[in-house]
Amino acid sequence: MGLAAPAFAGGIHCDEDIAAVDKAMATAKLSDADMAKVKAARASAEEMHMAKKDEECEKTLAEALALLGIEDTHGH
């Protein structure tokens, strides 16, 4: 049971990060190239999240979060 907790926490972090990216994209002032990177990372991250690859999901979202100026509060 103890092994399930980190995976569960990762899933929550991915949900939170995806939601944060979605919210920030609505008002972001990024170049077209940077917005394309954010959108691609977000789409890829959601696929990974659905496949229960939450560590990969978080790593994929890290660049999108940085481009959007969102502080990483999960330590990934």
Side-chain angles (χ1 to χ4, degrees):
M1 187 83 176
L3 296 175
F8 180 71
I12 292 171
H13 291 167
C14 284
D15 285 339
E16 291 172 354
D17 289 348
I18 288 170
V21 167
D22 288 345
K23 183 177 179 182
M25 281 190 333
T27 59
K29 305 283 190 237
L30 298 177
S31 68
D32 290 343
D34 283 346
M35 184 58 81
K37 288 179 189 177
V38 169
K39 288 179 178 180
R42 196 261 183 237
S44 180
E46 184 162 2
E47 288 177 13
M48 290 177 200
H49 180 59
M50 298 303 278
K52 306 287 189 224
K53 296 180 179 180
D54 293 316
E55 186 174 331
E56 292 91 337
C57 173
E58 289 188 37
K59 287 179 183 178
T60 299
L61 285 173
E63 180 181 12
L65 292 168
L67 287 168
L68 290 165
I70 299 170
E71 183 179 341
D72 176 7
T73 59
H74 308 304
H76 38 68

